[in-house]
Amino acid sequence: MTKRRRTSRQSKRARRIKDSDRTKKQPAGFGKSGPRDKRKDAPKAPEKAGHVRKPGKIEKVITGPLFLPVVLLLAAVLRVAHVLALRSTPWFNHLNLDCRAYDEWAQRIAGGDWLGTKIFYQDPLYPYFLSILYSLFDRNLLLVRLIQVAFGVGTCWLTALLGRRLFGPVLGNIAGLLAAILTTSVFYDAQIEKTFLSVFLIALFLVLALKRSMYARFLAGVTLGLAILTRANLLIFVPLGFLVLLFERLPVREGDKQTARSRESGFLNSQSFRHAALFLGGCAIILGPVTLRNHHVAGEWVLTTSQLGQNLYLGNNPRSTTGSYRSPPSVRPDPRYEQEDFHNTAEKLLGRPLKASEVSDYWLGQAWKHIRSEPVFAIRVFFRKFMVFWNDYEVPDNNNIYLLARYTWVLRLPMITFGWIMPLALLGAVVAFRKQREVRILVGFVASYCLSVIAFFVFSRYRVQVVPILVVFAVNGGAWIVDQVREARWKRAAYGGLLLVATGLFCFQNLEGVDRTRSMAISLNNLASLHLRLGNTERAIEVYREAVDTSPEAVVGAMRILGDLYLRQDKFKEAERYMLQVVEIKPSSVKGWTALARLYERMLSVDTGDPEIYYKLGVAHLSAGQIKEARQVKDEAESQGMPLPDEFVEKLNRAGANKGSR
């Protein structure tokens, strides 16, 4: 009898779980009903996560068969127009920094070097993707960009699907529209680098992961594995995703043997375990061959890339105060040299040869050493990185979106930016958080991703991966506000408005740690260097001067180059002006004083009539530590009846005596 009652109770619990799952699957308006609606005191109509009312004309248009195709067409038109506008700029065919490194890597792969000889340092998926296009169509960067535009349009479609999954077809289609007209997305879809691909893969992963079929969960694992090969910090979602799926409550198949406790809680549910295992298997299918390849070429078990320690140190070192990239003095800030410089510096400091994994471990240890020795400094920088991550300002890396807007009219259109999405996204997440498990999962994804970025350093292209989720949350937040106003719930609308204002102020604040003029000066300097490489000397000089006028301290090298360029043209006054600026900012710069000495020697050879030319030349040599040359200048000046000041002679004698004593 007791056994029959226990079996009856277990059957009732299993039926309740199935009924609950069926309830979750039934769409209602913009939202879905959740388990909280099963309370005894709940109203007959279940509480919804989104806005619910009888569809009007606008809603019918938005959910009509033409709306989403028109949105995707708009996304394609904006991106293609941006690509075509870029064709007249020097960036189109002449790449720099990461874009150049990926392009050169892809050309090597297309040339037959598929396996490589070293452990991957940068994420490898994009250069292999690029190499396939180069093999099929040669190096046609216009075609590459147009194919990337197709992926960008696909991201807009996936964003709409994600929104429809969470909040229904109206808000889902509007989310697709916002994704289509987001300035940052238009910008990155045309860049020859991996950002567009990582955003697409993350959006696809989320759409697949929220489906409750084993096939979809397996494909979600495969997609996440591919996404990890575009952004290594996504590795944290392998264990996190496994745990989420393991604890997921799924319908129990008849005949599955498990305890009543496991049927009710979902823990160790055989169905959940199958889903989690398939997800993990999908990840392993992609990441396993990469790990084996690294071991084959270098004899080390490295999962994907060997730059964990280097990246952690770049964002956590005594010079890193802004929350963005800051390399040590011995490392050139160029991906073509970064790996080699980090490796050589570590070997020099340790005094022995190092493997790639040992180099990463060394810089990992240096980063933790800095954090432990300066905890207050580290916490302050960590919080600054958090603010930079959520700020409307797009921290530039390879190309500056604000500089590029001068050359492409599409980026000057009044489209939406990150700072306008974030406040609505926070509101949309808050109002749906308790009612939908899927919303809680996506909030956890965004929070985890944010932490995985700010642990290192922040660029705009490192945070854009969360935009599809934020866009979906934002349309729900906007619909909620409209709903409160329409139904005259003024108190709730006021609270929502306060949250929007507070978040907006946070996102649009002018951060002290982010020097926008410095970033623009560096971007102008890079553009001028590109013009110089292409032989456009006059245009290079013009852009270099603008860079110096914008922020001279940020582009000291530009002033030295300007001095050299003017020296070649025998424009001595202009050359002297910029070379003097170099030594004013960096008084101990040997290169700066040597360049000045070279200028004054040239002026002396053409007899410019400067009465102080010998004195200037002597000071330049002396400041550069060139004692012998300074004495020769002193002797020549005396032979010409133009003796140098006694003060200079005394400095020269002291410098000579100090050098002799050493």
Side-chain angles (χ1 to χ4, degrees), residues 28-63:
F30 295 144
K32 297 176 184 281
S33 59
R36 291 177 59 85
D37 300 326
K38 287 295 179 180
R39 296 176 304 179
K40 292 181 179 180
D41 58 344
K44 292 182 180 180
E47 188 178 357
K48 308 301 187 298
H51 171 63
V52 180
R53 72 182 184 87
K54 185 177 180 180
K57 292 183 179 180
I58 296 179
E59 285 85 348
K60 289 180 179 179
V61 171
I62 294 174
T63 57

Side-chain angles (χ1 to χ4, degrees), residues 61-111:
V61 171
I62 294 174
T63 57
L66 294 179
F67 185 84
L68 188 55
V70 169
V71 165
L72 299 180
L73 178 62
L74 173 64
V77 168
L78 289 173
R79 285 154 177 78
V80 170
H82 173 57
V83 168
L84 296 179
L86 284 176
R87 296 188 71 182
S88 61
T89 70
W91 293 291
F92 193 82
N93 286 311
H94 303 279
L95 311 173
N96 63 345
L97 299 176
D98 287 280
C99 304
R100 183 176 181 180
Y102 286 132
D103 175 59
E104 293 175 351
W105 186 359
Q107 291 184 64
R108 290 195 300 271
I109 297 171

